Amino acid sequence: MSDYQHEVDELERTSATAARLFDVRRIIGGLFVVYGVLVTIAGLTASDADLKKAENININLWTGLGMLALGVFFLGWLYLRPTPPPPPAEPSQAADTTPGGDPAPDRDTPTS
């Protein structure tokens, strides 16, 4: 194989890795887990005045737990059904041949 083909193969592997790294499920799941932890901590440390404002329902705690559950769902989905790698590209024919396989004539040289 030529050096060019090795470079193309390496770029395809790098591209597939970047596509899996920036999968939207990873980003959404990670953000929901981080924010869920923060809101759950706020719910666990809620004062009586905060609970009284919300009619004795600890909204921060329940919302934080819901966000954690959703984040874990997205990350679990990503783990159980990972992004498939792209199919390998078909090697293309050289651009300087015609459908018959004969080399294409130069356009700069006049034909007689």
Side-chain angles (χ1 to χ4, degrees):
M1 292 180 102
S2 68
D3 289 335
Y4 177 73
Q5 184 63 33
H6 288 296
E7 289 178 25
V8 169
D9 290 341
E10 181 64 29
L11 285 173
E12 286 177 352
R13 280 192 298 274
T14 304
S15 175
T17 302
R20 282 189 293 257
L21 180 65
F22 293 110
D23 189 356
V24 72
R25 295 175 292 180
R26 181 182 313 258
I27 295 169
I28 290 173
L31 285 175
F32 267 101
V33 167
V34 168
Y35 290 137
V37 167
L38 293 174
V39 174
T40 301
I41 290 171
L44 292 173
T45 61
S47 67
D48 290 336
D50 292 334
L51 292 175
K52 188 176 180 183
K53 287 181 197 176
E55 298 179 6
N56 291 328
I57 298 173
N58 198 341
I59 287 197
N60 284 338
L61 180 63
W62 288 108
T63 303
L65 291 175
M67 292 173 78
L68 275 172
L70 185 64
V72 168
F73 168 75
F74 270 96
L75 294 176
W77 181 19
L78 177 68
Y79 178 74
L80 294 174
R81 304 280 282 188
T83 307
E90 298 277 332
S92 62
Q93 294 180 350
D96 61 343
T97 60
T98 58
D102 297 332
D106 282 332
R107 295 175 192 239
D108 295 337
T109 58
T111 57
S112 47

